[in-house]
Amino acid sequence: MSDQRFTPLRERHEALGASFTDFGGWQMPVRYISDLAEHHAVRQAAGIFDISHMAEFTVRGAQAGEFLDYALAGRLSALAVGKAKYSLLLAETAGIIDDVIVYRLEDDDFLVISNAGNRDAVREALLARTSDYDVVITDVSDDYALIAVQGPQAETILAATAGIGDVSIPWSEQRYYAWATATYAGRPLLLARTGYTGEDGFELLVTAADAATLWDQILAAGSPLGLIPAGLAARDTLRLEAGMPLYGHELTLDTKPAQAGLGRVVVTAKEEFVGKDAVEPAADAPVLVGLVAEGKRAGRAGYSVVDEGGAVLGEITSGALSPTLGHPIAMAYVTPSSADEGAAVFLDVRGTRIPATVTALPFYRRTK
């Protein structure tokens, strides 16, 4: 279709034999070898992901920090230069327009990275909130590519990657949810120690023109250490094991932060922010829980969660047979009365009731 979009790494994916799928209007690699092989590589060594479909916005101006305090749910004005913070962009109803990561580049210069499918909604919401602030919002998404290297070998691989130079902070001193500057091919490269897999790793913001050669150099450095390309299927099972929400599944315009377990992201002490007056959910509003089951039949998004008598308690938002843990896991919104850890429920898997237990998130946590 003419409206399908491809990242600057399209030719690399095709050469590697990737299967593609539509994701947020982009044709993205869903797998290269196999979902399981790619998942296990990230847990045991490392995987390299193309995440160039994500959207990037610069927020610049004398009141950039104050503006983001108003526009987002967190207190971004307190973020130190060199650090990053997860936050939420709320509607007036306190429903979630998107979840974002904010990087403070300078005192008056921030970078906001949002989900690909929400690029237009995020841009429009940010621009609509600028009227009282000395700030300029610029959509720079098409200027950059974003490459993620995730797994226990990520730091070693990137430190050995040819062409990355002028690293502002030694690799071993770079902290989680922080960033460093570097260069690649003589042009600026942003190294963020962030990710969406539950493993250590980095996300590299590089100019679109340099993305393909950087991809090649990372693969060359990492292949001897077990690095392989990984697609969206592995990324989804990895983030599910790590209990990380996905927009359109756990997060929607009908979801308030506290329902999704993200009440901590909202700084209600702020004098004003969009959505503040509606941020508290109703007492009977469904809440997000983890579910574990035995056997091999996994509940999928849209399947019902029921009680012993078959009464519907809620609905699964994401589910899979966990490659790491070996049993079915799921996230679901259920009634508050059935959300206690250890509660027994059932998954309605195509007419068969599968016993499950409510559990705390995440399902998986790395040990180092």
Side-chain angles (χ1 to χ4, degrees):
M1 294 175 61
S2 60
D3 59 348
Q4 290 181 333
R5 303 192 66 182
F6 290 86
T7 78
L9 294 167
R10 174 184 182 177
E11 292 182 359
R12 296 302 192 269
H13 302 319
E14 291 175 339
L16 289 163
S19 300
F20 289 83
T21 188
D22 179 84
F23 191 84
W26 293 78
Q27 284 295 300
M28 298 297 295
V30 66
R31 69 181 56 82
Y32 300 86
I33 305 170
S34 79
D35 305 353
L36 285 176
E38 294 162 26
H39 180 109
H40 289 311
V42 174
R43 291 279 181 251
Q44 298 164 9
I48 181 171
F49 299 83
D50 179 10
I51 53 172
S52 303
H53 59 310
M54 303 290 279
E56 293 86 30
F57 304 89
T58 58
V59 180
R60 294 171 174 156
Q63 293 183 298
E66 293 91 332
F67 164 74
L68 288 170
D69 284 351
Y70 169 70
L72 302 179
R75 194 184 296 281
L76 286 308
S77 62
L79 186 64
V81 173
K83 301 296 184 182
K85 192 175 186 66
Y86 179 84
S87 196
L88 298 170
L89 179 68
L90 303 181
E92 291 284 357
T93 61
I96 300 170
I97 296 173
D98 202 11
D99 59 335
V100 300
I101 297 181
V102 181
Y103 303 80
R104 192 165 201 165
L105 307 181
E106 301 289 350
D107 285 344
D108 58 356
D109 187 357
F110 293 78
L111 176 70
V112 178
I113 297 186
S114 75
N115 288 295
N118 291 333
R119 176 178 174 179
D120 292 344
V122 170
R123 180 178 59 247
E124 291 167 8
L126 291 176
L127 288 172
R129 299 172 189 189
T130 61
S131 57
D132 294 330
Y133 296 90
D134 179 8
V135 67
V136 175
I137 311 294
T138 307
D139 185 342
V140 296
S141 307
D142 296 335
D143 298 335
Y144 295 98
L146 200 56
I147 296 172
V149 181
Q150 300 282 298
Q153 293 291 336
E155 179 186 307
T156 301
I157 291 165
L158 289 174
T161 297
I164 297 179
D166 305 313
V167 180
S168 63
I169 301 171
W171 289 98
S172 62
E173 297 178 19
Q174 295 179 34
R175 299 292 177 251
Y176 189 53
Y177 264 72
W179 57 268
T181 59
T183 58
Y184 182 74
R187 285 178 282 275
L189 174 68
L190 184 74
L191 305 171
R193 199 158 202 158
T194 49
Y196 194 52
T197 64
E199 295 297 334
D200 186 24
F202 295 81
E203 295 176 323
L204 292 77
L205 188 71
V206 62
T207 58
D210 292 326
T213 55
L214 177 58
W215 175 274
D216 293 343
Q217 297 281 23
I218 295 170
L219 274 177
S223 293
L225 295 174
L227 174 77
I228 65 172
L232 289 178
R235 184 170 159 89
D236 193 51
T237 51
L238 289 160
R239 69 93 192 168
L240 175 57
E241 289 182 346
M244 295 177 169
L246 175 64
Y247 196 88
H249 288 251
E250 288 71 44
L251 308 179
T252 71
L253 267 174
D254 296 321
T255 309
K256 296 189 179 185
Q259 292 177 257
L262 296 174
R264 66 188 184 283
V265 177
V266 182
V267 181
T268 55
K270 291 190 298 181
E271 182 176 344
E272 187 179 16
F273 63 90
V274 176
K276 180 176 181 177
D277 293 342
V279 77
E280 290 299 326
D284 61 350
V287 293
L288 188 68
V289 299
L291 299 172
V292 296
E294 297 179 0
K296 301 297 182 183
R297 297 190 67 184
R300 305 292 181 178
Y303 288 11
S304 294
V305 180
V306 301
D307 65 15
E308 191 171 10
V312 175
L313 302 173
E315 184 175 291
I316 294 173
T317 52
S318 299
L321 177 61
S322 166
T324 303
L325 305 175
H327 58 249
I329 60 173
M331 289 193 280
Y333 278 98
V334 300
T335 59
S337 61
S338 55
D340 291 341
E341 188 174 347
V345 297
F346 295 84
L347 312 181
D348 186 345
V349 179
R350 297 183 178 179
T352 300
R353 290 184 198 165
I354 306 295
T357 304
V358 175
T359 188
L361 295 170
F363 303 101
Y364 165 88
R365 196 186 303 271
R366 64 186 172 97
T367 56
K368 62 179 181 178

